[in-house]
């Protein structure tokens, strides 16, 4: 998911440099959305891993 966020961020930068403001704004919005979804997924899986590890080790 971070890969796609980076791709959309690059598309936004290139489109902005070439003067395509609408496309740049849309691509930047998609990149932001994908980045925040990836961060939330990472934190969710991190919490699940910590709690599952505690359950397995008995701490």
């Amino acid at each position: 998911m971070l890969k796609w966020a980076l791709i959309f961020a690059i598309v936004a930068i290139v489109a902005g440099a070439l003067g395509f403001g609408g496309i740049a704004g849309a691509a930047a919005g998609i990149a932001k959305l994908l980045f925040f979804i990836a961060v939330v997924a990472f934190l969710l899986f991190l919490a699940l891993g910590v709690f599952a590890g505690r359950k397995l080790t008995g701490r």
Side-chain angles (χ1 to χ4, degrees):
M1 192 159 315
L2 283 176
K3 178 181 175 181
W4 282 104
L6 181 62
I7 289 170
F8 276 105
I10 291 171
V11 167
I13 291 170
V14 171
L18 295 176
F20 298 105
I23 296 172
I30 293 171
K32 277 191 220 178
L33 179 69
L34 289 174
F35 175 74
F36 286 119
I37 289 172
V39 168
V40 168
F42 169 74
L43 293 174
L44 177 68
F45 286 124
L46 181 66
L48 288 173
V50 166
F51 291 131
R54 285 185 182 172
K55 196 170 198 173
L56 288 175
T57 59
R59 290 184 188 178

